[in-house]
Amino acid sequence: MNEKYIELRTRSTFGDIINTYFMFLKHNFKTYTNLYLRYNAVSICLTLICSYLLVTGFMGLVSRDFRFGMGNNVASDNYFFAGAIILFLIVFITSLINYSFSSAYIAEYVKNNGSIVSKNIWRSILSNIGTIILFILIGGLLYIVYIIISMMVSFIPFLGMIVQYGLSFTMTAVFGLTFMSIFAANKGFGEAISEGFDFTFSNFWRVILFGLVIGILNLMITALIISVPGFIIGIYAYFSVESNIDLTTSTFATLIFTFGFAAFLLSFIYTQALSQLSYGILYYNLYEVKYNVFLQKMIDKIGADE
């Protein structure tokens, strides 16, 4: 067994689950991140392209006098809309990859007592691709329902905001736990989403508070990642204004803003993956609380040894 292996199939308290998540990241951050970058190489490239199109398009809309390439006049709104379309594709594709990869990673981690085989993760994703796509499509419909309900309750002062946050954390938990059910228990769509709803609503306050804490932590990680490019952009913008440089027509400014916006998108995508890791840890805890499988297995093993 891996000496750094952290057993996730435990009947832990709320505080212990949070602590387990941090311990897991401490021992597996490097391995997980290296594999994450390999699986998301294409989406990272698309993010850079998307950022460039959105930034140049937006700056062109502001200046209404923007040129591209070898001095050819190009309608800036075309770049903006193209960037928005690519951004939508990136969000869809990376959500598919992040939920699947993180869930498969956690399942592989538990199955092999901490030993990670990259090929097994990929095979696991491919073997469940039909269920994953179906869930993404159904999840998209559920998300539309969530948006409609959020818009309806948004007119209610204060209470509407609480309902919106509650619905958001609930949807995230259902999605995260359902994906884990697909990979950890090899369940089909119907059984997986049923278990996702069951675990969420039978442990509602624990799940909601867990999502709130992890959401705050991920927000702090995002802020930390974008603080450096944000600082550079702020300093550059300040001195550019002092020097009367037109930011909307400056190539260097375009590059600076492009990499800054890309850093924001990539940090958001990465924290989404980390969020699914946390729900993977929560899944095994809730599964053990309900079914008591691992503890019973250990008891039986002790009895057999005696």
Side-chain angles (χ1 to χ4, degrees):
M1 181 183 293
N2 188 341
E3 293 182 358
K4 295 182 179 180
Y5 174 68
I6 300 171
E7 183 56 64
L8 305 181
R9 295 165 292 183
T10 58
R11 299 166 64 89
S12 305
T13 63
F14 180 80
D16 288 335
I17 300 174
I18 300 295
N19 183 60
T20 300
Y21 173 62
F22 279 108
M23 290 296 295
F24 180 86
L25 288 182
K26 178 181 177 181
H27 293 297
N28 298 276
F29 182 81
K30 183 177 179 180
T31 302
Y32 174 79
T33 302
N34 287 338
L35 282 177
Y36 170 86
L37 293 175
R38 287 169 56 186
Y39 276 77
N40 284 274
V42 175
S43 63
I44 290 173
C45 294
L46 288 176
T47 300
L48 290 172
I49 295 173
C50 165
S51 299
Y52 179 79
L53 291 174
L54 285 173
V55 169
T56 53
F58 177 77
M59 293 175 73
L61 288 173
V62 172
S63 66
R64 283 298 176 183
D65 183 26
F66 129 56
R67 296 174 179 272
F68 176 81
M70 300 299 294
N72 295 321
N73 291 323
V74 180
S76 56
D77 52 350
N78 289 341
Y79 289 95
F80 186 81
F81 290 128
I85 293 172
I86 296 177
L87 177 61
F88 173 79
L89 293 176
I90 289 172
V91 171
F92 178 80
I93 294 172
T94 53
S95 295
L96 180 66
I97 294 174
N98 286 341
Y99 276 107
S100 301
F101 170 69
S102 295
S103 301
Y105 185 95
I106 286 285
E108 177 74 5
Y109 178 86
V110 171
K111 180 180 178 181
N112 296 323
N113 294 323
S115 298
I116 302 296
V117 181
S118 178
K119 291 182 179 179
N120 291 344
I121 295 177
W122 182 244
R123 289 170 184 166
S124 180
I125 293 174
L126 289 179
S127 64
N128 291 288
I129 193 66
T131 304
I132 294 169
I133 293 175
L134 178 60
F135 181 63
I136 288 293
L137 295 175
I138 300 297
L141 295 177
L142 291 175
Y143 190 74
I144 292 174
V145 174
Y146 156 73
I147 292 176
I148 294 173
I149 295 176
S150 295
M151 292 177 62
M152 293 173 61
V153 301
S154 63
F155 297 100
I156 305 175
F158 187 68
L159 179 62
M161 182 182 66
I162 295 177
V163 173
Q164 284 179 317
Y165 278 112
L167 286 174
S168 176
F169 289 132
T170 302
M171 288 286 294
T172 303
V174 170
F175 279 29
L177 295 174
T178 298
F179 260 94
M180 276 309 306
S181 183
I182 293 172
F183 285 93
N186 293 318
K187 293 186 176 182
F189 171 75
E191 290 180 307
I193 197 169
S194 176
E195 186 170 63
F197 273 101
D198 178 39
F199 281 177
T200 299
F201 288 100
S202 61
N203 304 273
F204 186 75
W205 289 112
R206 170 179 285 203
V207 170
I208 293 298
L209 289 175
F210 182 81
L212 176 62
V213 172
I214 296 301
I216 293 173
L217 294 174
N218 286 342
L219 183 62
M220 293 172 62
I221 293 173
T222 302
L224 181 64
I225 294 174
I226 65 175
S227 61
V228 175
F231 177 78
I232 294 174
I233 290 173
I235 294 295
Y236 175 75
Y238 173 79
F239 284 105
S240 295
V241 172
E242 288 291 314
S243 303
N244 295 319
I245 297 175
D246 187 358
L247 295 176
T248 60
T249 58
S250 172
T251 302
F252 186 72
T254 299
L255 293 176
I256 290 291
F257 292 140
T258 295
F259 284 111
F261 186 62
F264 169 75
L265 291 178
L266 292 173
S267 64
F268 170 78
I269 292 169
Y270 184 65
T271 52
Q272 181 189 57
L274 291 180
S275 177
Q276 182 57 21
L277 273 184
S278 70
Y279 279 108
I281 294 171
L282 178 65
Y283 171 85
Y284 280 107
N285 175 262
L286 297 179
Y287 189 91
E288 186 63 21
V289 168
K290 182 172 183 178
Y291 297 108
N292 211 29
V293 175
F294 183 73
L295 179 60
Q296 187 61 51
K297 181 180 177 181
M298 292 296 99
I299 293 174
D300 293 342
K301 185 178 179 180
I302 295 173
D305 292 339
E306 293 178 351

